[in-house]
Amino acid sequence: MGKFRMSLTILRILEVLYANPDREHYGLEIARTANVSNGALYPALERLTRAGYLTSALEDIDEAAEGRRKRRYYQLTEDGRALAATELRDAPRLPGHLALN
């Protein structure tokens, strides 16, 4: 993978996903936990997905039966896990970040 431009939004997203890397996370959950706006979240998720650091999939539900729209779930790839581990280790501790080791 090439050099990926890191931002505070990307770091916060990686932090949330890396805290539970085996679990799929949906957008609103990521936004709330990472404390980022939807306007910043979805472009960042798209960049991470296009770069190969995330996978994404739309859930298979009957929207009418569930009473809600389908959610898109995101999960770190192996490259994404490596990126998160490196970037989160090297990132300065900033206010509002989750407490990850």
Side-chain angles (χ1 to χ4, degrees):
M1 300 269 155
K3 181 69 178 154
F4 191 81
R5 188 179 62 79
M6 227 17 76
S7 67
L8 180 57
T9 297
I10 297 282
L11 283 171
R12 287 183 175 184
I13 291 168
L14 290 175
E15 198 167 40
V16 169
L17 298 175
Y18 193 67
N20 289 295
D22 295 324
R23 202 172 128 254
E24 294 178 318
H25 305 263
Y26 63 96
L28 184 59
E29 169 198 10
I30 297 168
R32 287 179 177 162
T33 307
N35 195 29
V36 298
S37 70
N38 287 344
L41 176 74
Y42 290 103
L45 289 172
E46 178 63 24
R47 282 184 56 226
L48 287 163
T49 302
R50 274 195 325 259
Y53 296 121
L54 296 181
T55 59
S56 75
L58 202 57
E59 72 180 330
D60 185 23
I61 63 164
D62 179 339
E63 291 178 338
E66 293 293 325
R68 64 174 176 81
R69 296 184 61 182
K70 294 178 181 182
R71 294 175 177 158
R72 179 163 299 278
Y73 284 91
Y74 300 88
Q75 190 170 19
L76 290 170
T77 63
E78 289 303 316
D79 287 336
R81 287 181 190 205
L83 175 74
T86 300
E87 293 295 333
L88 294 171
R89 181 190 67 230
D90 295 343
R93 289 291 154 208
L94 300 172
H97 270 237
L98 300 172
L100 296 179
N101 294 334

XYZ file of all heavy atoms in Angstrom:
802
model
N 0.840 -1.176 0.000
C 0.000 0.000 0.000
C 0.888 1.243 0.000
O 1.930 1.251 0.625
C -0.887 0.043 1.250
C -1.816 -1.115 1.413
S -3.397 -0.771 0.658
C -3.945 -2.411 0.327
N 0.407 2.274 -0.671
C 1.139 3.528 -0.720
C 0.942 4.336 0.554
O 0.256 3.932 1.471
N 1.578 5.486 0.557
C 1.458 6.389 1.699
C 0.026 6.908 1.779
O -0.549 7.308 0.780
C 2.452 7.547 1.532
C 2.444 8.530 2.659
C 2.994 7.917 3.923
C 3.022 8.970 5.029
N 2.943 8.395 6.340
N -0.537 6.864 2.960
C -1.912 7.295 3.186
C -1.891 8.533 4.066
O -1.280 8.521 5.131
C -2.698 6.166 3.854
C -4.170 6.395 3.895
C -4.942 6.118 2.780
C -4.778 6.875 5.034
C -6.309 6.322 2.806
C -6.146 7.081 5.069
C -6.909 6.801 3.948
N -2.531 9.607 3.616
C -2.560 10.851 4.390
C -3.466 10.685 5.610
O -4.639 10.382 5.500
C -3.052 12.010 3.530
C -2.930 13.360 4.222
C -3.401 14.490 3.327
N -4.800 14.387 2.959
C -5.815 14.742 3.754
N -5.602 15.211 4.957
N -7.055 14.625 3.313
N -2.873 10.853 6.778
C -3.575 10.678 8.038
C -4.204 12.001 8.467
O -3.638 13.063 8.268
C -2.551 10.259 9.091
C -2.850 9.111 10.007
S -4.113 7.919 9.673
C -3.408 6.915 8.430
N -5.379 11.935 9.038
C -6.048 13.102 9.602
C -6.587 12.691 10.970
O -6.625 11.501 11.299
C -7.195 13.566 8.704
O -8.234 12.591 8.699
N -7.008 13.655 11.743
C -7.589 13.349 13.047
C -8.831 12.477 12.882
O -9.029 11.528 13.638
C -7.935 14.635 13.803
C -8.561 14.461 15.183
C -7.668 13.632 16.098
C -8.859 15.818 15.798
N -9.642 12.754 11.883
C -10.841 11.947 11.626
C -10.462 10.503 11.340
O -11.044 9.575 11.904
C -11.654 12.537 10.457
O -12.103 13.849 10.820
C -12.846 11.663 10.109
N -9.484 10.304 10.464
C -9.034 8.944 10.126
C -8.495 8.245 11.368
O -8.803 7.078 11.621
C -7.960 8.968 9.015
C -8.522 9.547 7.724
C -7.349 7.589 8.802
C -9.373 8.635 6.910
N -7.690 8.940 12.157
C -7.151 8.336 13.385
C -8.260 7.906 14.335
O -8.208 6.814 14.906
C -6.208 9.307 14.099
C -4.824 9.460 13.506
C -4.079 10.606 14.190
C -4.033 8.165 13.615
N -9.257 8.745 14.492
C -10.366 8.399 15.395
C -11.151 7.203 14.875
O -11.558 6.342 15.646
C -11.266 9.608 15.608
C -10.617 10.646 16.489
C -11.526 11.797 16.765
N -10.883 12.698 17.725
C -11.450 13.756 18.225
N -12.681 14.072 17.882
N -10.802 14.514 19.086
N -11.355 7.147 13.563
C -12.047 5.995 12.969
C -11.222 4.727 13.172
O -11.752 3.687 13.595
C -12.324 6.245 11.476
C -13.364 7.344 11.311
C -12.759 4.957 10.776
C -13.495 7.866 9.892
N -9.931 4.797 12.878
C -9.064 3.632 13.058
C -9.067 3.176 14.511
O -9.065 1.973 14.796
C -7.638 3.948 12.605
C -7.430 4.114 11.105
C -5.993 4.539 10.824
C -7.785 2.846 10.343
N -9.087 4.130 15.417
C -9.086 3.811 16.836
C -10.330 3.006 17.217
O -10.244 2.005 17.934
C -9.023 5.120 17.619
C -8.605 5.001 19.035
C -8.266 6.352 19.630
O -8.971 7.337 19.357
O -7.280 6.399 20.371
N -11.484 3.425 16.724
C -12.737 2.723 17.019
C -12.713 1.320 16.425
O -13.046 0.337 17.097
C -13.949 3.516 16.476
C -15.226 2.686 16.536
C -14.113 4.813 17.255
N -12.312 1.214 15.167
C -12.312 -0.095 14.507
C -11.261 -1.028 15.090
O -11.495 -2.232 15.211
C -12.088 0.090 13.004
C -13.170 0.892 12.268
C -12.767 1.102 10.820
C -14.512 0.219 12.373
N -10.114 -0.484 15.463
C -9.027 -1.299 16.003
C -9.328 -1.796 17.419
O -8.809 -2.817 17.835
C -7.725 -0.496 15.971
C -6.491 -1.315 16.204
C -6.090 -2.272 15.274
C -5.712 -1.135 17.336
C -4.940 -3.029 15.482
C -4.559 -1.885 17.542
C -4.185 -2.830 16.614
O -3.050 -3.578 16.805
N -10.197 -1.103 18.132
C -10.569 -1.528 19.487
C -11.295 -2.876 19.455
O -11.194 -3.659 20.402
C -11.442 -0.473 20.163
N -12.024 -3.155 18.362
C -12.722 -4.433 18.164
C -12.552 -4.858 16.707
O -13.502 -4.805 15.919
C -14.215 -4.284 18.487
C -14.467 -4.107 19.947
O -14.205 -5.002 20.737
N -14.965 -2.937 20.326
N -11.353 -5.272 16.325
C -11.070 -5.499 14.900
C -11.797 -6.689 14.278
O -11.928 -6.743 13.051
C -9.559 -5.718 14.873
C -9.228 -6.224 16.238
C -10.193 -5.532 17.163
N -12.290 -7.613 15.075
C -12.977 -8.777 14.519
C -14.472 -8.535 14.310
O -15.160 -9.396 13.774
C -12.783 -9.993 15.423
C -11.328 -10.425 15.474
O -10.641 -10.322 14.430
O -10.867 -10.840 16.550
N -14.947 -7.397 14.744
C -16.362 -7.066 14.667
C -16.620 -6.099 13.517
O -15.800 -5.255 13.214
C -16.783 -6.402 15.988
C -18.236 -6.480 16.254
C -18.538 -5.970 17.670
N -19.573 -4.978 17.510
C -19.432 -3.673 17.598
N -18.300 -3.150 17.911
N -20.428 -2.864 17.408
N -17.771 -6.216 12.889
C -18.191 -5.250 11.887
C -18.853 -4.079 12.603
O -19.545 -4.266 13.601
C -19.186 -5.881 10.913
C -18.568 -6.969 10.064
C -19.588 -7.603 9.144
O -20.726 -7.862 9.588
O -19.232 -7.838 7.981
N -18.634 -2.871 12.091
C -19.156 -1.649 12.699
C -19.935 -0.880 11.642
O -19.481 -0.776 10.503
C -18.008 -0.758 13.187
C -17.065 -1.440 14.123
N -17.156 -1.320 15.483
C -16.013 -2.264 13.892
C -16.198 -2.026 16.063
N -15.493 -2.612 15.108
N -21.076 -0.311 12.021
C -21.827 0.490 11.054
C -21.562 1.975 11.283
O -21.078 2.389 12.338
C -23.321 0.153 11.070
C -24.059 0.442 12.352
C -24.770 1.625 12.510
C -24.074 -0.477 13.397
C -25.464 1.894 13.671
C -24.765 -0.216 14.556
C -25.463 0.964 14.693
O -26.152 1.234 15.850
N -21.852 2.766 10.269
C -21.470 4.165 10.239
C -21.872 4.988 11.449
O -21.040 5.686 12.037
N -23.146 4.962 11.830
C -23.599 5.773 12.952
C -22.885 5.396 14.242
O -22.501 6.257 15.031
C -25.116 5.663 13.119
C -25.741 6.534 14.202
C -25.465 8.005 13.948
C -27.238 6.274 14.279
N -22.664 4.120 14.442
C -21.921 3.642 15.618
C -20.495 4.204 15.611
O -20.004 4.683 16.636
C -21.889 2.114 15.606
C -20.952 1.509 16.608
C -20.604 0.056 16.306
O -20.935 -0.450 15.214
O -19.986 -0.557 17.186
N -19.845 4.156 14.461
C -18.477 4.677 14.352
C -18.476 6.181 14.624
O -17.642 6.685 15.375
C -17.880 4.374 12.968
C -17.764 2.872 12.738
C -16.508 5.042 12.817
C -17.464 2.483 11.299
N -19.421 6.902 14.010
C -19.485 8.357 14.171
C -19.651 8.743 15.635
O -18.957 9.631 16.132
C -20.632 8.935 13.340
N -20.553 8.078 16.321
C -20.798 8.394 17.735
C -19.590 8.068 18.603
O -19.190 8.859 19.449
C -22.022 7.642 18.240
C -23.313 8.187 17.711
C -24.490 7.412 18.218
N -25.737 8.003 17.745
C -26.887 7.374 17.745
N -26.975 6.131 18.197
N -27.968 7.988 17.292
N -19.015 6.896 18.403
C -17.889 6.476 19.231
C -16.644 7.307 18.948
O -15.914 7.668 19.869
C -17.586 4.973 19.008
O -18.795 4.226 19.210
C -16.537 4.482 19.982
N -16.413 7.616 17.685
C -15.224 8.387 17.296
C -15.421 9.894 17.491
O -14.465 10.645 17.400
C -14.872 8.107 15.838
N -16.656 10.293 17.727
C -16.981 11.707 17.897
C -16.620 12.516 16.661
O -15.925 13.531 16.733
C -16.317 12.286 19.150
C -16.919 13.618 19.552
O -18.089 13.880 19.285
N -16.116 14.458 20.177
N -17.082 12.014 15.505
C -16.890 12.723 14.244
C -18.255 12.903 13.568
O -19.164 12.096 13.768
C -15.905 12.011 13.283
C -14.531 11.914 13.868
C -16.412 10.646 12.885
N -18.383 13.945 12.780
C -19.639 14.217 12.091
C -19.809 13.265 10.907
O -18.837 12.743 10.361
C -19.665 15.660 11.588
O -18.749 15.820 10.523
N -21.065 13.068 10.500
C -21.331 12.236 9.332
C -20.682 12.828 8.091
O -20.237 12.101 7.213
C -22.832 12.087 9.110
C -23.488 11.184 10.121
O -22.822 10.433 10.825
N -24.800 11.260 10.211
N -20.625 14.162 8.026
C -20.008 14.819 6.880
C -18.530 14.524 6.745
O -17.985 14.539 5.649
N -17.864 14.249 7.852
C -16.443 13.879 7.825
C -16.275 12.366 7.773
O -15.320 11.858 7.176
C -15.730 14.432 9.057
N -17.201 11.647 8.386
C -17.080 10.189 8.511
C -17.110 9.472 7.165
O -16.201 8.707 6.846
C -18.201 9.639 9.399
C -18.227 8.117 9.506
C -17.094 7.627 10.379
C -19.571 7.639 10.025
N -18.155 9.695 6.390
C -18.350 8.883 5.193
C -17.292 9.100 4.117
O -16.843 8.119 3.497
C -19.787 9.021 4.679
C -20.734 8.331 5.642
C -21.497 9.056 6.537
C -20.796 6.939 5.709
C -22.326 8.421 7.457
C -21.613 6.295 6.617
C -22.377 7.040 7.490
O -23.174 6.397 8.394
N -16.820 10.309 3.880
C -15.693 10.446 2.948
C -14.431 9.726 3.452
O -13.701 9.124 2.667
C -15.465 11.959 2.863
C -16.777 12.559 3.225
C -17.371 11.623 4.254
N -14.195 9.764 4.762
C -13.022 9.079 5.317
C -13.168 7.570 5.188
O -12.207 6.875 4.827
C -12.832 9.475 6.785
N -14.353 7.042 5.460
C -14.584 5.598 5.298
C -14.392 5.188 3.837
O -13.818 4.138 3.555
C -15.985 5.216 5.784
C -16.224 5.268 7.280
C -17.701 5.048 7.593
C -15.362 4.252 8.027
N -14.852 6.021 2.921
C -14.687 5.731 1.497
C -13.211 5.715 1.112
O -12.762 4.835 0.378
C -15.459 6.756 0.662
C -15.317 6.563 -0.830
C -15.865 5.240 -1.350
O -16.747 4.660 -0.694
O -15.379 4.787 -2.398
N -12.439 6.680 1.601
C -10.993 6.722 1.322
C -10.308 5.471 1.849
O -9.471 4.867 1.173
C -10.355 7.955 1.966
C -10.573 9.236 1.223
C -9.846 10.418 1.837
N -8.427 10.168 1.960
C -7.700 10.429 3.058
N -8.252 10.947 4.128
N -6.415 10.173 3.094
N -10.635 5.087 3.082
C -10.029 3.894 3.683
C -10.411 2.631 2.915
O -9.581 1.737 2.725
C -10.445 3.773 5.154
C -9.786 4.769 6.102
C -10.560 4.854 7.416
C -8.338 4.377 6.362
N -11.649 2.560 2.459
C -12.108 1.397 1.690
C -11.412 1.332 0.336
O -10.906 0.278 -0.064
C -13.638 1.443 1.518
O -14.253 1.481 2.817
C -14.146 0.227 0.763
N -11.364 2.468 -0.370
C -10.689 2.497 -1.686
C -9.220 2.141 -1.569
O -8.650 1.521 -2.473
C -10.834 3.884 -2.315
C -12.098 4.092 -3.090
C -12.038 5.319 -3.991
N -11.276 6.414 -3.440
C -11.782 7.492 -2.847
N -13.072 7.625 -2.729
N -10.992 8.443 -2.387
N -8.588 2.514 -0.455
C -7.162 2.226 -0.256
C -6.921 0.780 0.167
O -5.776 0.352 0.253
C -6.580 3.184 0.786
N -7.983 0.033 0.449
C -7.831 -1.370 0.818
C -7.673 -1.615 2.311
O -7.358 -2.728 2.726
N -7.923 -0.602 3.127
C -7.773 -0.753 4.576
C -9.054 -1.197 5.265
O -9.028 -1.629 6.413
C -7.280 0.553 5.201
C -5.901 0.942 4.719
C -5.680 2.147 4.072
C -4.810 0.089 4.899
C -4.422 2.509 3.624
C -3.552 0.439 4.453
C -3.364 1.654 3.820
O -2.111 2.001 3.377
N -10.185 -1.085 4.563
C -11.472 -1.519 5.102
C -12.207 -2.341 4.069
O -12.035 -2.143 2.865
C -12.380 -0.316 5.428
C -11.986 0.674 6.480
C -13.067 1.748 6.606
C -11.765 -0.001 7.808
N -13.049 -3.234 4.552
C -14.053 -3.862 3.703
C -15.385 -3.270 4.124
O -15.539 -2.799 5.257
C -14.100 -5.396 3.874
O -14.401 -5.708 5.244
C -12.793 -6.036 3.470
N -16.337 -3.276 3.220
C -17.671 -2.810 3.571
C -18.694 -3.687 2.880
O -18.441 -4.212 1.787
C -17.866 -1.347 3.184
O -18.050 -1.190 1.806
N -19.817 -3.850 3.557
C -20.891 -4.664 3.004
C -22.215 -4.157 3.545
O -22.314 -3.767 4.711
C -20.705 -6.129 3.365
N -23.222 -4.182 2.685
C -24.556 -3.784 3.070
C -25.239 -4.995 3.689
O -25.184 -6.100 3.142
C -25.310 -3.311 1.829
C -26.496 -2.402 2.010
C -26.111 -1.133 2.775
C -27.066 -2.030 0.654
N -25.893 -4.785 4.833
C -26.553 -5.922 5.484
C -27.744 -6.390 4.658
O -28.323 -5.626 3.887
C -26.962 -5.580 6.915
C -28.119 -4.635 7.048
C -28.486 -4.334 8.490
O -28.287 -5.189 9.372
O -28.975 -3.232 8.730
N -28.076 -7.643 4.818
C -29.162 -8.268 4.074
C -30.377 -8.382 4.988
O -30.499 -9.366 5.728
C -28.714 -9.640 3.558
C -29.764 -10.286 2.676
O -30.614 -9.560 2.116
O -29.737 -11.526 2.551
N -31.217 -7.354 4.969
C -32.438 -7.368 5.778
C -33.611 -6.918 4.919
O -33.433 -6.310 3.869
C -32.341 -6.439 7.016
C -32.171 -4.977 6.590
C -31.257 -6.882 7.968
C -32.449 -3.965 7.680
N -34.811 -7.191 5.386
C -36.032 -6.646 4.802
C -36.303 -5.341 5.535
O -36.659 -5.349 6.719
C -37.175 -7.638 4.987
C -38.490 -7.153 4.421
O -38.663 -5.922 4.239
O -39.363 -7.993 4.176
N -36.085 -4.220 4.844
C -36.209 -2.910 5.479
C -37.606 -2.678 6.050
O -37.749 -2.115 7.139
C -35.843 -1.797 4.493
C -34.377 -1.781 4.136
C -34.021 -0.713 3.118
O -34.917 -0.252 2.374
O -32.837 -0.340 3.069
N -38.635 -3.118 5.343
C -40.010 -2.920 5.820
C -40.253 -3.714 7.101
O -40.837 -3.209 8.065
C -41.009 -3.326 4.740
N -39.789 -4.955 7.136
C -39.980 -5.794 8.316
C -39.187 -5.272 9.503
O -39.656 -5.324 10.652
C -39.584 -7.236 8.011
N -37.979 -4.759 9.256
C -37.119 -4.256 10.329
C -37.496 -2.833 10.751
O -37.108 -2.391 11.830
C -35.650 -4.283 9.903
C -35.081 -5.667 9.711
C -34.978 -6.457 10.996
O -34.697 -5.866 12.060
O -35.177 -7.682 10.937
N -38.183 -2.119 9.879
C -38.573 -0.755 10.182
C -37.420 0.237 10.130
O -37.451 1.279 10.790
N -36.394 -0.080 9.361
C -35.233 0.806 9.210
C -34.526 0.473 7.904
O -34.756 -0.578 7.309
C -34.263 0.683 10.385
C -33.619 -0.689 10.525
C -32.552 -0.705 11.619
N -31.997 -2.017 11.819
C -31.048 -2.580 11.071
N -30.540 -1.930 10.045
N -30.596 -3.782 11.346
N -33.667 1.392 7.503
C -32.873 1.171 6.295
C -31.740 0.193 6.571
O -31.337 0.000 7.716
C -32.305 2.494 5.811
C -33.406 3.468 5.388
C -32.844 4.715 4.827
N -32.064 4.375 3.634
C -31.404 5.239 2.909
N -31.408 6.510 3.230
N -30.719 4.863 1.858
N -31.224 -0.383 5.503
C -30.078 -1.281 5.620
C -28.867 -0.493 6.088
O -28.687 0.663 5.737
C -29.750 -1.932 4.269
C -30.821 -2.865 3.789
C -30.478 -3.435 2.434
C -31.597 -4.363 1.983
N -31.296 -4.980 0.687
N -28.035 -1.140 6.878
C -26.793 -0.528 7.350
C -25.620 -1.053 6.524
O -25.601 -2.205 6.116
C -26.527 -0.893 8.816
C -27.521 -0.322 9.768
C -27.257 -0.824 11.170
N -28.183 -0.216 12.108
C -28.485 -0.728 13.282
N -27.936 -1.861 13.687
N -29.333 -0.106 14.069
N -24.640 -0.188 6.317
C -23.383 -0.612 5.702
C -22.409 -0.855 6.836
O -22.216 -0.003 7.697
C -22.836 0.441 4.744
C -21.503 0.008 4.130
C -21.135 0.794 2.906
N -22.089 0.662 1.827
C -22.129 -0.362 0.964
N -21.253 -1.350 1.076
N -23.022 -0.396 0.012
N -21.831 -2.049 6.855
C -20.888 -2.426 7.903
C -19.462 -2.366 7.372
O -19.199 -2.715 6.222
C -21.196 -3.834 8.416
C -22.395 -3.864 9.330
C -23.673 -4.083 8.842
C -22.238 -3.655 10.697
C -24.770 -4.102 9.685
C -23.324 -3.670 11.550
C -24.590 -3.883 11.030
O -25.666 -3.887 11.878
N -18.558 -1.922 8.234
C -17.145 -1.753 7.898
C -16.294 -2.589 8.836
O -16.621 -2.744 10.019
C -16.736 -0.280 8.044
C -17.521 0.634 7.142
C -18.724 1.180 7.552
C -17.057 0.934 5.867
C -19.453 2.011 6.716
C -17.781 1.759 5.024
C -18.983 2.295 5.460
O -19.702 3.113 4.632
N -15.192 -3.101 8.299
C -14.255 -3.886 9.101
C -12.850 -3.682 8.539
O -12.668 -3.559 7.325
C -14.633 -5.358 9.060
C -13.875 -6.200 10.031
C -14.457 -7.610 10.115
O -15.177 -8.075 9.245
N -14.142 -8.303 11.192
N -11.872 -3.651 9.432
C -10.483 -3.507 9.010
C -10.015 -4.749 8.259
O -10.320 -5.872 8.650
C -9.565 -3.318 10.220
C -9.667 -1.993 10.966
C -8.884 -2.065 12.276
C -9.158 -0.856 10.107
N -9.263 -4.542 7.184
C -8.574 -5.640 6.513
C -7.279 -5.899 7.280
O -6.945 -5.171 8.218
C -8.236 -5.252 5.060
O -7.334 -4.137 5.085
C -9.480 -4.920 4.252
N -6.524 -6.891 6.873
C -5.214 -7.130 7.505
C -4.301 -5.916 7.328
O -3.606 -5.513 8.262
C -4.558 -8.400 6.949
C -5.225 -9.681 7.400
C -5.276 -9.829 8.915
O -4.259 -9.559 9.598
O -6.344 -10.201 9.437
N -4.311 -5.337 6.125
C -3.527 -4.116 5.899
C -4.040 -2.975 6.772
O -3.265 -2.165 7.274
C -3.564 -3.698 4.429
C -2.719 -4.600 3.538
O -1.773 -5.237 4.049
O -3.008 -4.654 2.325
N -5.352 -2.922 6.957
C -5.943 -1.900 7.807
C -5.547 -2.059 9.263
O -5.292 -1.074 9.967
N -5.481 -3.301 9.707
C -5.038 -3.556 11.085
C -3.593 -3.119 11.279
O -3.239 -2.523 12.289
C -5.176 -5.037 11.431
C -6.592 -5.479 11.631
C -6.655 -6.944 11.987
N -8.021 -7.419 11.952
C -8.467 -8.454 12.629
N -7.638 -9.142 13.389
N -9.720 -8.816 12.539
N -2.762 -3.402 10.295
C -1.350 -3.003 10.379
C -1.226 -1.483 10.370
O -0.462 -0.911 11.156
C -0.559 -3.617 9.220
N -1.988 -0.818 9.496
C -1.980 0.637 9.448
C -2.431 1.219 10.785
O -1.784 2.109 11.338
C -2.900 1.146 8.332
C -3.065 2.664 8.260
C -1.813 3.313 7.690
C -4.298 3.027 7.450
N -3.529 0.707 11.320
C -4.063 1.205 12.594
C -3.051 1.016 13.715
O -2.820 1.929 14.509
C -5.379 0.505 12.923
N -2.455 -0.156 13.781
C -1.482 -0.429 14.847
C -0.327 0.564 14.785
O 0.072 1.138 15.803
C -0.958 -1.860 14.733
N 0.196 0.795 13.591
C 1.326 1.710 13.425
C 0.934 3.149 13.707
O 1.592 3.843 14.484
C 1.888 1.613 11.988
O 2.325 0.268 11.766
C 3.041 2.572 11.777
N -0.139 3.593 13.098
C -0.543 4.998 13.228
C -0.987 5.336 14.644
O -0.673 6.408 15.161
C -1.649 5.343 12.227
C -1.191 5.313 10.791
C -0.147 6.362 10.459
O -0.103 7.425 11.123
O 0.629 6.138 9.515
N -1.709 4.430 15.281
C -2.179 4.704 16.640
C -1.030 4.657 17.643
O -1.029 5.397 18.622
C -3.290 3.737 17.031
C -4.584 3.900 16.225
C -5.546 2.771 16.532
C -5.219 5.254 16.464
N -0.057 3.810 17.380
C 1.118 3.749 18.254
C 1.928 5.035 18.154
O 2.413 5.557 19.155
C 1.991 2.555 17.871
C 3.230 2.398 18.759
C 4.204 1.366 18.219
N 4.763 1.856 16.959
C 4.814 1.152 15.821
N 4.368 -0.068 15.784
N 5.323 1.661 14.732
N 2.054 5.559 16.940
C 2.885 6.731 16.699
C 2.163 8.062 16.878
O 2.803 9.105 16.928
C 3.470 6.680 15.286
C 4.423 5.507 15.107
O 4.878 4.935 16.124
O 4.703 5.148 13.946
N 0.829 8.034 16.960
C 0.057 9.282 17.066
C 0.186 9.881 18.456
O 0.221 9.154 19.452
C -1.414 9.006 16.762
N 0.257 11.201 18.528
C 0.261 11.842 19.845
C -1.090 11.627 20.508
O -2.109 11.490 19.827
C 0.482 13.320 19.526
C 0.068 13.488 18.117
C 0.295 12.164 17.442
N -1.089 11.538 21.799
C -2.343 11.389 22.530
C -3.052 12.728 22.543
O -2.539 13.710 23.060
C -2.103 10.907 23.971
C -1.652 9.481 24.017
C -2.774 8.554 23.594
N -2.226 7.321 23.065
C -2.841 6.574 22.163
N -3.984 6.925 21.677
N -2.296 5.484 21.728
N -4.206 12.764 21.918
C -4.963 14.002 21.796
C -6.231 13.910 22.627
O -6.777 12.829 22.827
C -5.325 14.242 20.336
C -4.162 14.372 19.382
C -4.655 14.417 17.942
C -3.358 15.615 19.705
N -6.740 15.035 23.112
C -7.993 15.021 23.870
C -9.101 14.402 23.035
O -9.180 14.610 21.826
C -8.270 16.502 24.126
C -6.963 17.191 23.934
C -6.194 16.363 22.962
N -9.956 13.632 23.677
C -11.069 13.024 22.988
C -10.787 11.675 22.388
O -11.672 11.044 21.850
N -9.563 11.202 22.475
C -9.240 9.884 21.927
C -9.613 8.800 22.917
O -9.618 9.010 24.126
C -7.733 9.786 21.617
C -7.396 10.215 20.237
N -6.751 9.420 19.352
C -7.646 11.368 19.577
C -6.593 10.056 18.209
N -7.137 11.251 18.331
N -9.897 7.638 22.392
C -10.162 6.490 23.236
C -8.873 6.059 23.902
O -7.794 6.338 23.410
C -10.700 5.323 22.376
C -11.990 5.590 21.615
C -12.272 4.422 20.679
C -13.137 5.804 22.556
N -8.999 5.376 24.994
C -7.803 4.912 25.713
C -7.403 3.533 25.199
O -7.859 2.524 25.685
C -8.085 4.863 27.210
N -6.569 3.516 24.159
C -6.067 2.258 23.611
C -4.614 2.100 23.992
O -3.876 3.059 24.049
C -6.198 2.230 22.086
C -7.607 2.281 21.524
C -7.552 2.267 20.010
C -8.448 1.136 22.028
N -4.196 0.875 24.192
C -2.792 0.605 24.512
C -1.972 0.481 23.271
O -2.294 -0.015 22.301
C -2.668 -0.665 25.349
C -3.312 -0.475 26.704
O -3.409 0.641 27.210
N -3.771 -1.557 27.272
